Amino acid sequence: MNRMQKKTPAKIQLLDDNLVNQIAAGEVIERPASLLKELLENSLDAGATEIRVHIDRGGIKRVSVSDNGSGIPCEEIPLAVSRHATSKLNSAEDLFHLSTLGFRGEALPSIAAVSRLTLQTRVADDESGYEYRSQGGKATGEIRPIAHPIGTTVEIEDLFFNTPARRKFLRTDRTEFNYCDTTVRRIALGNPDVAIDFIRDGKTVFQLFKAENVATMSKRMIKLCGHPFTDQSMYIDHTVDSYTLEGWIGLPTFSRSQRDLQYFFVNGRPVTDHLISHAVKRAYSDVLYHGRFPTFVLFLKLNSKLVDVNVHPAKNEVRFRESRMVYDFVFRTLNRAVAGISPEDSEVALPLTNSPDRNSQTRPSGVIFGSQQRIQMPRSVQSSDGGLIASIWDMGLNKSKSEDQEEKDFPPLGYAIAQIKGVYILAENKDGLILVDMHAAHERITYESLKQQLDSQESIETQPLLVPIRIAMSFSEVRCLESYKDDLNQLGFELEVFAEDQVVIRAVPELLKNNDIETIIRDTASDLLEHGTTDRPQNEIHEVLSSIACHGAVRANRKLEILEMNALLRQIETVERSGQCNHGRPTWMSVTMAELDKWFMRGR
């Protein structure tokens, strides 16, 4: 038999309405969490201030969402379960400045097509509510009056009961619950003015009250993101022109091995955006361990005309009309915030084991961006052997310990008491004890100093190449590099477009003469093509400076005098990104008096 035998093409025909709905369901409803997201968004668009969510068996058996929103008039119920029927659009122009979460008019009919649906609703003007039931997208009876409070309840049972091929792709009840849990948390974070009850198999997962300000939102976040994040994050609020970025960013010492604590909202809509992810990653690039990810809950607000949310069936992606401006705004805001974190602002706790009531202790959640006060150091000293140079307080360091305690005027990292095993500095501040890794601290000080020296130079020393490097790449990459040519020249690269698919490198920065130049240029072109900006060349130069700083920092087992230890403490208090060394390790940690008292069971 000829396996290449041509088949007679089928006739073109209109699809059955039920099949159309099932195809639409395949685009919108992937799993229980998908329909839960659609139902929650409908509740929010209806003006709900209270929402109650029930799920059974991870949502496979049942998902129920009740709200106190505006409800649906009886005569509009048939439209609500019809395709492409919505109250959220009136014209094509509305697509370009959407202010609602849902707008496609496909959610309810798509969900109904693959489940058993019960819709109960009541508007304020009606004396009773009304109920609609369907199975597989087909009504199972007439709309009938029922007793129901103002608002809407949608109950979905037996998801994919009529499409077994799709049902078998669902995971275990626990896995599907985890997806639902993430969905509810995202919605709850993005809508602090809405009270939400979340119930799983008859047991309450969490109960959230409305958050009216930053303080009450912090309490709400404890339930949604956990104590560790809220205790080790700082609040930011920054506006430039029509852009506002606010929310919480985790301290660099509180990083994760995966992106499981990253929430980003655009005008209240939870989204995943690679442009924003790159901007955040870049802002933290100088303070995180390799392979670690920052944590954040951030809200970007901008004119709805500047963002297109109609680019993905699930509405979890957006397209910015001024993507470069958004990228730069997010990066600069976060980079400034991260660089400004100082020992006075952050609190890095010593990891404890078997400490009583450790998890219940309330710790500051950070500071408002812009309120940090920098410490100005008036003079410098040099150690007796000429090795360690640092700024110190313009006050006598030979005061007795009791005098310092009486004044209670400790600097953030306090005053040195002793050196431990030639590695750590033990200091006392007003709250308790401070432990400083002297190599890590001096490494950060030296690294930031080298970067400042480099930035202050009018030009970077270059190294001409005896044999120019010719690199073949795509036409688009060549165009990107050509547009970035002046920036590369300022960094010490001499680049020339040789052909529409080739560039030639004739000189490189002196600091990078031993590096893999071709890889640097290719990665730079890739970043420019994907994100419109890049830090690759600067990062390579900073890597060299980081190595120089590491080798130049004070080593373990070096004996320091009290004056030198205090000088190091004073300088780490003023340097940017002082909480971590160049490789992301903490430079210092603290133990409060309350923790010390618990260790020794004082006050019991």
Side-chain angles (χ1 to χ4, degrees):
M1 181 178 179
N2 185 1
R3 304 178 75 179
M4 300 297 292
Q5 183 177 359
K6 292 184 179 180
K7 295 183 178 179
T8 303
K11 293 182 179 180
I12 298 174
Q13 58 185 348
L14 289 173
L15 295 176
D16 175 79
D17 286 344
N18 191 50
L19 180 57
V20 170
N21 283 337
Q22 289 192 9
I23 292 173
E27 296 177 348
V28 179
I29 310 303
E30 179 184 358
R31 56 182 2 115
S34 305
L35 71 88
L36 179 57
K37 173 180 178 290
E38 298 289 343
L39 296 181
L40 287 170
E41 289 180 348
N42 281 348
S43 294
L44 293 170
D45 286 339
T49 58
E50 297 177 5
I51 299 177
R52 192 173 180 87
V53 179
H54 294 256
I55 67 170
D56 293 329
R57 288 189 50 202
I60 300 172
K61 179 61 179 174
R62 181 177 76 117
V63 172
S64 175
V65 176
S66 301
D67 66 56
N68 67 340
S70 59
I72 305 172
C74 178
E75 65 273 14
E76 294 182 12
I77 292 177
L79 284 174
V81 292
S82 300
R83 295 193 68 224
H84 305 312
T86 179
S87 62
K88 302 162 189 176
L89 292 175
N90 293 314
S91 66
E93 180 64 24
D94 292 344
L95 279 172
F96 301 102
H97 47 86
L98 290 161
S99 58
T100 57
L101 296 172
F103 53 87
R104 294 175 181 273
E106 292 185 0
L108 281 179
S110 298
I111 294 169
V114 290
S115 68
R116 309 182 204 277
L117 178 145
T118 301
L119 185 151
Q120 299 176 333
T121 186
R122 178 190 163 198
V123 296
D125 294 337
D126 290 345
E127 295 182 357
S128 68
Y130 294 90
E131 180 182 81
Y132 168 88
R133 290 178 177 268
S134 71
Q135 184 169 297
K138 297 181 179 180
T140 57
E142 298 294 328
I143 297 174
R144 66 186 186 91
I146 59 166
H148 193 276
I150 297 173
T152 302
T153 298
V154 180
E155 183 172 276
I156 308 299
E157 296 180 292
D158 301 328
L159 181 64
F160 300 142
F161 80 97
N162 56 344
T163 53
R166 293 183 60 194
R167 188 180 179 94
K168 71 179 182 180
F169 281 99
L170 295 178
R171 309 294 291 274
T172 64
D173 294 357
R174 182 180 182 83
T175 299
E176 294 300 335
F177 163 75
N178 289 337
Y179 282 110
C180 290
D181 182 72
T182 298
T183 297
V184 178
R185 289 176 191 272
R186 284 183 182 275
I187 293 293
L189 285 170
N191 298 273
D193 56 341
V194 179
I196 297 179
D197 290 350
F198 186 25
I199 300 166
R200 173 197 185 189
D201 297 324
K203 297 181 179 179
T204 299
V205 179
F206 54 71
Q207 184 178 34
L208 303 175
F209 300 101
K210 299 177 185 178
E212 300 176 349
N213 49 45
V214 173
T216 53
M217 182 59 181
S218 295
K219 294 179 180 179
R220 184 178 174 113
M221 284 175 55
I222 290 174
K223 294 185 178 181
L224 296 172
C225 301
H227 268 288
F229 174 73
T230 52
D231 290 350
Q232 299 184 63
S233 63
M234 62 179 290
Y235 176 75
I236 66 170
D237 187 354
H238 190 52
T239 299
V240 174
D241 297 329
S242 61
Y243 300 112
T244 295
L245 185 68
E246 65 175 319
W248 286 259
I249 60 172
L251 299 178
T253 47
F254 183 72
S255 59
R256 308 280 283 186
S257 61
Q258 53 190 354
R259 295 183 178 91
D260 62 336
L261 230 174
Q262 297 185 344
Y263 297 98
F264 192 78
F265 302 84
V266 177
N267 291 343
R269 183 187 305 277
V271 300
T272 302
D273 188 89
H274 74 281
L275 188 78
I276 298 300
S277 297
H278 187 269
V280 175
K281 180 181 178 182
R282 181 182 168 203
Y284 276 85
S285 63
D286 225 7
V287 293
L288 283 189
Y289 233 29
H290 179 70
R292 304 290 293 183
F293 299 96
T295 57
F296 56 85
V297 177
L298 290 171
F299 304 87
L300 175 65
K301 298 177 184 177
L302 70 166
N303 191 311
S304 61
K305 294 182 179 180
L306 299 178
V307 57
D308 183 5
V309 301
N310 192 24
V311 297
H312 192 278
K315 305 186 292 292
N316 56 12
E317 296 178 9
V318 297
R319 181 184 295 117
F320 297 106
R321 303 197 187 282
E322 299 173 343
S323 58
R324 181 61 185 271
M325 292 183 65
V326 172
Y327 180 96
D328 288 345
F329 170 68
V330 172
F331 164 69
R332 294 181 188 281
T333 300
L334 297 184
N335 188 54
R336 180 183 165 199
V338 171
I341 297 173
S342 71
E344 190 174 21
D345 307 321
S346 59
E347 186 171 344
V348 184
L350 185 68
L352 306 177
T353 57
N354 300 323
S355 174
D357 303 323
R358 170 65 175 166
N359 293 331
S360 64
Q361 184 174 352
T362 301
R363 303 170 71 87
S365 62
V367 297
I368 295 179
F369 178 45
S371 68
Q372 297 99 321
Q373 295 183 359
R374 310 303 302 167
I375 304 171
Q376 300 298 323
M377 301 302 160
R379 62 190 181 90
S380 298
V381 299
Q382 183 169 325
S383 63
S384 57
D385 62 0
L388 177 62
I389 298 175
S391 297
I392 63 172
W393 287 97
D394 191 13
M395 60 173 63
L397 293 179
N398 57 352
K399 292 180 181 179
S400 68
K401 182 178 176 183
S402 59
E403 288 175 333
D404 285 334
Q405 288 177 331
E406 288 174 358
E407 288 182 8
K408 296 182 180 180
D409 189 23
F410 285 94
L413 293 184
Y415 295 110
I417 298 174
Q419 189 177 16
I420 303 174
K421 300 294 185 182
V423 177
Y424 301 103
I425 295 173
L426 178 63
E428 177 187 5
N429 70 358
K430 63 184 179 64
D431 296 318
L433 294 179
I434 300 290
L435 281 172
V436 178
D437 183 326
M438 65 182 195
H439 173 79
H442 194 224
E443 184 179 350
R444 171 57 73 180
I445 293 168
T446 306
Y447 178 44
E448 292 297 330
S449 176
L450 289 172
K451 287 198 297 182
Q452 289 179 6
Q453 292 176 33
L454 184 68
D455 292 341
S456 65
Q457 295 179 8
E458 293 184 0
S459 62
I460 295 178
E461 188 175 351
T462 63
Q463 173 67 56
L465 299 177
L466 293 176
V467 180
I469 302 173
R470 183 178 298 181
I471 306 173
M473 48 182 53
S474 71
F475 174 81
S476 299
E477 290 174 323
V478 171
R479 296 282 76 79
C480 285
L481 286 175
E482 187 175 29
S483 66
Y484 195 67
K485 184 177 178 180
D486 291 342
D487 297 271
L488 288 172
N489 286 341
Q490 291 180 4
L491 292 171
F493 290 91
E494 185 180 329
L495 179 143
E496 180 182 314
V497 175
F498 186 74
E500 65 177 17
D501 60 351
Q502 289 186 25
V503 296
V504 173
I505 308 300
R506 301 192 181 279
V508 299
E510 174 70 24
L511 286 170
L512 301 183
K513 63 182 180 181
N514 296 322
N515 288 49
D516 185 347
I517 300 300
E518 181 172 343
T519 298
I520 295 174
I521 296 299
R522 287 191 182 280
D523 289 345
T524 298
S526 178
D527 278 354
L528 290 171
L529 196 60
E530 184 174 2
H531 306 294
T533 186
T534 182
D535 270 348
R536 297 280 183 171
Q538 296 98 318
N539 288 343
E540 291 290 337
I541 293 173
H542 287 171
E543 281 290 329
V544 176
L545 297 182
S546 176
S547 179
I548 294 173
C550 183
H551 289 294
V554 290
R555 293 295 176 184
N557 300 319
R558 173 176 170 181
K559 180 67 175 178
L560 297 182
E561 300 297 330
I562 290 292
L563 179 67
E564 294 177 303
M565 287 186 257
N566 280 316
L568 185 64
L569 295 179
R570 298 296 75 79
Q571 195 152 28
I572 197 64
E573 287 168 343
T574 62
V575 75
E576 289 187 343
R577 304 171 185 87
S578 61
Q580 300 75 37
C581 75
N582 317 340
H583 311 294
R585 292 194 303 108
T587 56
W588 63 275
M589 289 187 176
S590 67
V591 185
T592 66
M593 284 300 297
E595 290 168 335
L596 288 171
D597 289 343
K598 286 179 181 178
W599 288 1
F600 294 96
M601 299 183 181
R602 291 180 62 87
R604 294 196 174 192

